[in-house]
Amino acid sequence: MNFSGIIIGAATFLCIGMFHPIVIKAEYHFGVGCWWAFLLAGLICTSASLFIENMVLSTLLGVVAFSCFWSILELFNQRKRVKKGWFPKNPKRNK
């Protein structure tokens, strides 16, 4: 039996679920100005996935990379959700 697909699917599900609160916390504490950290992490994971020979690990790094890239968009969407009052605004940040 080949469990690669199940492992990748479950890890993708967990990765997406993990990045949702990360984006919320990052926007709350740092604002959208931290988008570059997601870009850098995505580029590092993309580069690493190109050089890893293990197919499952390489694929999972690709999933993490593109979750980081998607999180950049979600940071800006999260700012809009905060302005609408759907999420709390950090009172310590003036922006």
Side-chain angles (χ1 to χ4, degrees):
M1 287 209 264
N2 185 353
F3 290 99
S4 298
I6 300 297
I7 292 168
I8 292 168
T12 300
F13 180 75
L14 291 173
C15 185
I16 292 168
M18 221 174 41
F19 270 87
H20 180 68
I22 290 172
V23 167
I24 292 169
K25 295 289 184 186
E27 195 284 328
Y28 183 83
H29 291 290
F30 307 110
V32 295
C34 67
W35 69 268
W36 60 268
F38 287 100
L39 177 64
L40 183 62
L43 292 173
I44 290 169
C45 288
T46 300
S47 298
S49 74
L50 293 173
F51 295 101
I52 303 249
E53 291 186 25
N54 182 297
M55 185 59 71
V56 173
L57 186 55
S58 176
T59 303
L60 293 178
L61 279 169
V63 167
V64 171
F66 281 86
S67 294
C68 288
F69 296 146
W70 185 259
S71 294
I72 295 169
L73 173 67
E74 283 301 311
L75 268 176
F76 290 91
N77 289 339
Q78 180 65 18
R79 177 172 63 180
K80 292 176 188 174
R81 292 188 284 265
V82 169
K83 286 181 181 179
K84 290 179 182 179
W86 296 353
F87 286 87
K89 182 179 179 181
N90 186 345
K92 296 179 183 177
R93 277 192 310 111
N94 292 330
K95 295 181 182 179

